[in-house]
PDB file of all heavy atoms in Angstrom:
ATOM      1  N   SER A 233     102.816  77.606  89.111  1.00 80.00           N
ATOM      2  CA  SER A 233     102.016  76.589  89.786  1.00 80.00           C
ATOM      3  C   SER A 233     102.699  76.257  91.100  1.00 80.00           C
ATOM      4  O   SER A 233     103.876  76.555  91.299  1.00 80.00           O
ATOM      5  CB  SER A 233     101.902  75.329  88.932  1.00 80.00           C
ATOM      6  OG  SER A 233     103.134  74.635  88.952  1.00 80.00           O
ATOM      7  N   GLY A 235     103.536  73.392  92.148  1.00 78.00           N
ATOM      8  CA  GLY A 235     104.594  72.415  91.880  1.00 78.00           C
ATOM      9  C   GLY A 235     105.902  73.098  91.506  1.00 78.00           C
ATOM     10  O   GLY A 235     106.982  72.719  91.965  1.00 78.00           O
ATOM     11  N   ASP A 336     102.899  58.147  94.961  1.00 94.00           N
ATOM     12  CA  ASP A 336     102.843  59.207  93.949  1.00 94.00           C
ATOM     13  C   ASP A 336     103.904  60.260  94.288  1.00 94.00           C
ATOM     14  O   ASP A 336     104.430  60.313  95.402  1.00 94.00           O
ATOM     15  CB  ASP A 336     101.448  59.851  93.919  1.00 94.00           C
ATOM     16  CG  ASP A 336     101.232  60.710  92.665  1.00 94.00           C
ATOM     17  OD1 ASP A 336     102.068  60.663  91.741  1.00 94.00           O
ATOM     18  OD2 ASP A 336     100.214  61.432  92.625  1.00 94.00           O
ATOM     19  N   PHE A 337     104.155  61.108  93.305  1.00 90.00           N
ATOM     20  CA  PHE A 337     105.029  62.254  93.532  1.00 90.00           C
ATOM     21  C   PHE A 337     104.307  63.272  94.411  1.00 90.00           C
ATOM     22  O   PHE A 337     103.109  63.474  94.274  1.00 90.00           O
ATOM     23  CB  PHE A 337     105.402  62.910  92.201  1.00 90.00           C
ATOM     24  CG  PHE A 337     106.108  61.981  91.264  1.00 90.00           C
ATOM     25  CD1 PHE A 337     105.431  61.364  90.216  1.00 90.00           C
ATOM     26  CD2 PHE A 337     107.466  61.704  91.437  1.00 90.00           C
ATOM     27  CE1 PHE A 337     106.098  60.498  89.358  1.00 90.00           C
ATOM     28  CE2 PHE A 337     108.128  60.833  90.573  1.00 90.00           C
ATOM     29  CZ  PHE A 337     107.437  60.229  89.530  1.00 90.00           C
ATOM     30  N   CYS A 338     105.065  63.898  95.313  1.00 87.00           N
ATOM     31  CA  CYS A 338     104.468  64.912  96.186  1.00 87.00           C
ATOM     32  C   CYS A 338     104.374  66.262  95.491  1.00 87.00           C
ATOM     33  O   CYS A 338     103.664  67.157  95.947  1.00 87.00           O
ATOM     34  CB  CYS A 338     105.288  65.065  97.457  1.00 87.00           C
ATOM     35  SG  CYS A 338     105.132  63.650  98.547  1.00 87.00           S
ATOM     36  N   ASP A 339     105.111  66.441  94.420  1.00 78.00           N
ATOM     37  CA  ASP A 339     105.134  67.734  93.735  1.00 78.00           C
ATOM     38  C   ASP A 339     105.093  67.495  92.240  1.00 78.00           C
ATOM     39  O   ASP A 339     105.478  66.431  91.749  1.00 78.00           O
ATOM     40  CB  ASP A 339     106.405  68.517  94.106  1.00 78.00           C
ATOM     41  CG  ASP A 339     107.672  67.759  93.707  1.00 78.00           C
ATOM     42  OD1 ASP A 339     107.692  66.517  93.861  1.00 78.00           O
ATOM     43  OD2 ASP A 339     108.627  68.397  93.236  1.00 78.00           O
ATOM     44  N   THR A 340     104.629  68.491  91.513  1.00 71.00           N
ATOM     45  CA  THR A 340     104.568  68.341  90.067  1.00 71.00           C
ATOM     46  C   THR A 340     105.962  68.332  89.452  1.00 71.00           C
ATOM     47  O   THR A 340     106.166  67.756  88.395  1.00 71.00           O
ATOM     48  CB  THR A 340     103.720  69.463  89.428  1.00 71.00           C
ATOM     49  OG1 THR A 340     103.900  70.645  90.196  1.00 71.00           O
ATOM     50  CG2 THR A 340     102.257  69.096  89.431  1.00 71.00           C
ATOM     51  N   GLY A 341     106.909  68.974  90.124  1.00 70.00           N
ATOM     52  CA  GLY A 341     108.280  68.986  89.623  1.00 70.00           C
ATOM     53  C   GLY A 341     109.011  67.663  89.858  1.00 70.00           C
ATOM     54  O   GLY A 341     110.073  67.423  89.296  1.00 70.00           O
ATOM     55  N   ARG A 342     108.421  66.804  90.675  1.00 80.00           N
ATOM     56  CA  ARG A 342     108.940  65.454  90.920  1.00 80.00           C
ATOM     57  C   ARG A 342     110.345  65.419  91.512  1.00 80.00           C
ATOM     58  O   ARG A 342     111.139  64.529  91.216  1.00 80.00           O
ATOM     59  CB  ARG A 342     108.898  64.629  89.617  1.00 80.00           C
ATOM     60  CG  ARG A 342     107.495  64.546  89.069  1.00 80.00           C
ATOM     61  CD  ARG A 342     107.380  63.653  87.874  1.00 80.00           C
ATOM     62  NE  ARG A 342     105.964  63.514  87.498  1.00 80.00           N
ATOM     63  CZ  ARG A 342     105.508  62.685  86.593  1.00 80.00           C
ATOM     64  NH1 ARG A 342     106.349  61.882  85.943  1.00 80.00           N
ATOM     65  NH2 ARG A 342     104.220  62.607  86.326  1.00 80.00           N
ATOM     66  N   THR A 351      95.550  59.956  96.145  1.00 96.00           N
ATOM     67  CA  THR A 351      96.027  60.989  95.217  1.00 96.00           C
ATOM     68  C   THR A 351      95.187  61.006  93.951  1.00 96.00           C
ATOM     69  O   THR A 351      94.557  60.001  93.582  1.00 96.00           O
ATOM     70  CB  THR A 351      97.509  60.748  94.859  1.00 96.00           C
ATOM     71  OG1 THR A 351      97.953  61.762  93.947  1.00 96.00           O
ATOM     72  CG2 THR A 351      97.711  59.376  94.229  1.00 96.00           C
ATOM     73  N   LEU A 352      95.192  62.162  93.325  1.00 95.00           N
ATOM     74  CA  LEU A 352      94.545  62.324  92.019  1.00 95.00           C
ATOM     75  C   LEU A 352      95.603  62.353  90.909  1.00 95.00           C
ATOM     76  O   LEU A 352      95.289  62.607  89.753  1.00 95.00           O
ATOM     77  CB  LEU A 352      93.736  63.618  92.005  1.00 95.00           C
ATOM     78  CG  LEU A 352      92.579  63.661  92.997  1.00 95.00           C
ATOM     79  CD1 LEU A 352      92.121  65.094  93.246  1.00 95.00           C
ATOM     80  CD2 LEU A 352      91.408  62.809  92.499  1.00 95.00           C
ATOM     81  N   GLY A 353      96.848  62.112  91.286  1.00 93.00           N
ATOM     82  CA  GLY A 353      97.950  62.231  90.336  1.00 93.00           C
ATOM     83  C   GLY A 353      98.610  63.585  90.472  1.00 93.00           C
ATOM     84  O   GLY A 353      97.924  64.607  90.611  1.00 93.00           O
ATOM     85  N   SER A 354      99.953  63.585  90.429  1.00 87.00           N
ATOM     86  CA  SER A 354     100.677  64.802  90.785  1.00 87.00           C
ATOM     87  C   SER A 354     100.500  65.931  89.780  1.00 87.00           C
ATOM     88  O   SER A 354     100.814  67.079  90.068  1.00 87.00           O
ATOM     89  CB  SER A 354     102.165  64.508  90.974  1.00 87.00           C
ATOM     90  OG  SER A 354     102.731  64.076  89.750  1.00 87.00           O
ATOM     91  N   ASN A 355      99.993  65.629  88.590  1.00 81.00           N
ATOM     92  CA  ASN A 355      99.741  66.748  87.666  1.00 81.00           C
ATOM     93  C   ASN A 355      98.268  67.116  87.580  1.00 81.00           C
ATOM     94  O   ASN A 355      97.844  67.838  86.682  1.00 81.00           O
ATOM     95  CB  ASN A 355     100.341  66.474  86.285  1.00 81.00           C
ATOM     96  CG  ASN A 355      99.780  65.220  85.678  1.00 81.00           C
ATOM     97  OD1 ASN A 355      99.085  64.448  86.364  1.00 81.00           O
ATOM     98  ND2 ASN A 355     100.051  64.986  84.409  1.00 81.00           N
ATOM     99  N   PHE A 356      97.486  66.622  88.556  1.00 86.00           N
ATOM    100  CA  PHE A 356      96.082  67.025  88.604  1.00 86.00           C
ATOM    101  C   PHE A 356      95.986  68.483  89.059  1.00 86.00           C
ATOM    102  O   PHE A 356      96.643  68.876  90.018  1.00 86.00           O
ATOM    103  CB  PHE A 356      95.289  66.139  89.579  1.00 86.00           C
ATOM    104  CG  PHE A 356      93.844  66.520  89.688  1.00 86.00           C
ATOM    105  CD1 PHE A 356      92.920  66.023  88.776  1.00 86.00           C
ATOM    106  CD2 PHE A 356      93.412  67.402  90.667  1.00 86.00           C
ATOM    107  CE1 PHE A 356      91.581  66.387  88.860  1.00 86.00           C
ATOM    108  CE2 PHE A 356      92.077  67.782  90.748  1.00 86.00           C
ATOM    109  CZ  PHE A 356      91.159  67.269  89.855  1.00 86.00           C
ATOM    110  N   MET A 357      95.179  69.239  88.361  1.00 80.00           N
ATOM    111  CA  MET A 357      94.957  70.636  88.751  1.00 80.00           C
ATOM    112  C   MET A 357      93.456  70.895  88.801  1.00 80.00           C
ATOM    113  O   MET A 357      92.753  70.628  87.831  1.00 80.00           O
ATOM    114  CB  MET A 357      95.580  71.594  87.721  1.00 80.00           C
ATOM    115  CG  MET A 357      97.086  71.603  87.694  1.00 80.00           C
ATOM    116  SD  MET A 357      97.786  72.568  89.059  1.00 80.00           S
ATOM    117  CE  MET A 357      97.564  74.234  88.386  1.00 80.00           C
ATOM    118  N   PRO A 358      92.948  71.439  89.932  1.00 80.00           N
ATOM    119  CA  PRO A 358      91.530  71.814  89.942  1.00 80.00           C
ATOM    120  C   PRO A 358      91.280  72.898  88.891  1.00 80.00           C
ATOM    121  O   PRO A 358      92.197  73.627  88.528  1.00 80.00           O
ATOM    122  CB  PRO A 358      91.293  72.371  91.348  1.00 80.00           C
ATOM    123  CG  PRO A 358      92.548  72.182  92.102  1.00 80.00           C
ATOM    124  CD  PRO A 358      93.635  71.819  91.159  1.00 80.00           C
ATOM    125  N   ARG A 367      93.547  72.582  97.320  1.00 84.00           N
ATOM    126  CA  ARG A 367      93.753  72.148  95.949  1.00 84.00           C
ATOM    127  C   ARG A 367      94.942  71.211  95.772  1.00 84.00           C
ATOM    128  O   ARG A 367      95.394  70.983  94.657  1.00 84.00           O
ATOM    129  CB  ARG A 367      93.884  73.342  95.027  1.00 84.00           C
ATOM    130  CG  ARG A 367      94.750  74.476  95.569  1.00 84.00           C
ATOM    131  CD  ARG A 367      95.017  75.581  94.557  1.00 84.00           C
ATOM    132  NE  ARG A 367      93.863  76.336  94.123  1.00 84.00           N
ATOM    133  CZ  ARG A 367      93.415  76.365  92.864  1.00 84.00           C
ATOM    134  NH1 ARG A 367      94.031  75.699  91.922  1.00 84.00           N
ATOM    135  NH2 ARG A 367      92.373  77.077  92.539  1.00 84.00           N
ATOM    136  N   HIS A 369      96.916  67.812  95.284  1.00 90.00           N
ATOM    137  CA  HIS A 369      96.477  66.605  94.563  1.00 90.00           C
ATOM    138  C   HIS A 369      96.448  65.361  95.441  1.00 90.00           C
ATOM    139  O   HIS A 369      95.801  64.376  95.100  1.00 90.00           O
ATOM    140  CB  HIS A 369      97.385  66.357  93.359  1.00 90.00           C
ATOM    141  CG  HIS A 369      98.796  65.979  93.734  1.00 90.00           C
ATOM    142  ND1 HIS A 369      99.755  66.932  94.052  1.00 90.00           N
ATOM    143  CD2 HIS A 369      99.400  64.775  93.896  1.00 90.00           C
ATOM    144  CE1 HIS A 369     100.894  66.326  94.355  1.00 90.00           C
ATOM    145  NE2 HIS A 369     100.710  65.015  94.273  1.00 90.00           N
ATOM    146  N   GLY A 370      97.189  65.402  96.567  1.00 93.00           N
ATOM    147  CA  GLY A 370      97.263  64.211  97.412  1.00 93.00           C
ATOM    148  C   GLY A 370      96.822  64.498  98.826  1.00 93.00           C
ATOM    149  O   GLY A 370      96.265  65.549  99.124  1.00 93.00           O
ATOM    150  N   ASP A 468      89.189  62.657  83.358  1.00 94.00           N
ATOM    151  CA  ASP A 468      90.202  63.614  83.853  1.00 94.00           C
ATOM    152  C   ASP A 468      91.083  62.942  84.904  1.00 94.00           C
ATOM    153  O   ASP A 468      92.321  63.034  84.860  1.00 94.00           O
ATOM    154  CB  ASP A 468      89.547  64.820  84.545  1.00 94.00           C
ATOM    155  CG  ASP A 468      88.790  65.742  83.578  1.00 94.00           C
ATOM    156  OD1 ASP A 468      89.127  65.720  82.385  1.00 94.00           O
ATOM    157  OD2 ASP A 468      87.884  66.455  84.040  1.00 94.00           O
ATOM    158  N   ILE A 469      90.415  62.313  85.869  1.00 96.00           N
ATOM    159  CA  ILE A 469      91.145  61.732  86.992  1.00 96.00           C
ATOM    160  C   ILE A 469      91.960  60.525  86.549  1.00 96.00           C
ATOM    161  O   ILE A 469      93.124  60.361  86.945  1.00 96.00           O
ATOM    162  CB  ILE A 469      90.161  61.369  88.129  1.00 96.00           C
ATOM    163  CG1 ILE A 469      89.547  62.662  88.700  1.00 96.00           C
ATOM    164  CG2 ILE A 469      90.852  60.579  89.226  1.00 96.00           C
ATOM    165  CD1 ILE A 469      88.481  62.461  89.743  1.00 96.00           C
ATOM    166  N   ALA A 470      91.377  59.699  85.686  1.00 96.00           N
ATOM    167  CA  ALA A 470      92.092  58.503  85.210  1.00 96.00           C
ATOM    168  C   ALA A 470      93.367  58.908  84.476  1.00 96.00           C
ATOM    169  O   ALA A 470      94.435  58.316  84.661  1.00 96.00           O
ATOM    170  CB  ALA A 470      91.177  57.675  84.306  1.00 96.00           C
ATOM    171  N   LYS A 471      93.269  59.954  83.662  1.00 95.00           N
ATOM    172  CA  LYS A 471      94.437  60.416  82.899  1.00 95.00           C
ATOM    173  C   LYS A 471      95.548  60.882  83.822  1.00 95.00           C
ATOM    174  O   LYS A 471      96.725  60.591  83.616  1.00 95.00           O
ATOM    175  CB  LYS A 471      94.044  61.587  81.983  1.00 95.00           C
ATOM    176  CG  LYS A 471      93.593  61.158  80.602  1.00 95.00           C
ATOM    177  CD  LYS A 471      93.355  62.390  79.736  1.00 95.00           C
ATOM    178  CE  LYS A 471      92.489  62.021  78.535  1.00 95.00           C
ATOM    179  NZ  LYS A 471      91.784  63.175  77.990  1.00 95.00           N
ATOM    180  N   SER A 472      95.144  61.627  84.840  1.00 93.00           N
ATOM    181  CA  SER A 472      96.131  62.164  85.769  1.00 93.00           C
ATOM    182  C   SER A 472      96.751  61.034  86.604  1.00 93.00           C
ATOM    183  O   SER A 472      97.969  60.997  86.811  1.00 93.00           O
ATOM    184  CB  SER A 472      95.446  63.216  86.651  1.00 93.00           C
ATOM    185  OG  SER A 472      96.290  63.631  87.664  1.00 93.00           O
ATOM    186  N   LEU A 473      95.905  60.098  87.026  1.00 96.00           N
ATOM    187  CA  LEU A 473      96.408  58.974  87.837  1.00 96.00           C
ATOM    188  C   LEU A 473      97.341  58.063  87.040  1.00 96.00           C
ATOM    189  O   LEU A 473      98.231  57.423  87.603  1.00 96.00           O
ATOM    190  CB  LEU A 473      95.239  58.156  88.389  1.00 96.00           C
ATOM    191  CG  LEU A 473      94.582  58.695  89.668  1.00 96.00           C
ATOM    192  CD1 LEU A 473      93.338  57.881  90.008  1.00 96.00           C
ATOM    193  CD2 LEU A 473      95.582  58.650  90.820  1.00 96.00           C
ATOM    194  N   ALA A 474      97.148  58.035  85.741  1.00 95.00           N
ATOM    195  CA  ALA A 474      97.969  57.158  84.908  1.00 95.00           C
ATOM    196  C   ALA A 474      99.437  57.563  84.963  1.00 95.00           C
ATOM    197  O   ALA A 474     100.326  56.785  84.626  1.00 95.00           O
ATOM    198  CB  ALA A 474      97.461  57.182  83.467  1.00 95.00           C
ATOM    199  N   GLN A 475      99.701  58.804  85.415  1.00 90.00           N
ATOM    200  CA  GLN A 475     101.093  59.260  85.447  1.00 90.00           C
ATOM    201  C   GLN A 475     101.768  59.022  86.794  1.00 90.00           C
ATOM    202  O   GLN A 475     102.902  59.459  86.999  1.00 90.00           O
ATOM    203  CB  GLN A 475     101.137  60.745  85.087  1.00 90.00           C
ATOM    204  CG  GLN A 475     100.524  60.971  83.701  1.00 90.00           C
ATOM    205  CD  GLN A 475     100.900  62.315  83.108  1.00 90.00           C
ATOM    206  OE1 GLN A 475     101.802  62.985  83.599  1.00 90.00           O
ATOM    207  NE2 GLN A 475     100.229  62.689  82.047  1.00 90.00           N
ATOM    208  N   CYS A 476     101.068  58.322  87.701  1.00 93.00           N
ATOM    209  CA  CYS A 476     101.723  57.959  88.957  1.00 93.00           C
ATOM    210  C   CYS A 476     102.873  56.997  88.650  1.00 93.00           C
ATOM    211  O   CYS A 476     102.814  56.253  87.673  1.00 93.00           O
ATOM    212  CB  CYS A 476     100.724  57.276  89.899  1.00 93.00           C
ATOM    213  SG  CYS A 476      99.495  58.409  90.557  1.00 93.00           S
TER     214      CYS A 476
END
Side-chain angles (χ1 to χ4, degrees):
Chain A
S233 74
D336 194 10
F337 301 100
C338 289
D339 60 321
T340 33
R342 302 185 174 188
T351 180
L352 297 162
S354 64
N355 59 350
F356 179 85
M357 291 282 281
R367 43 172 65 243
H369 67 277
D468 291 337
I469 294 175
K471 269 185 198 157
S472 172
L473 277 173
Q475 302 197 13
C476 289

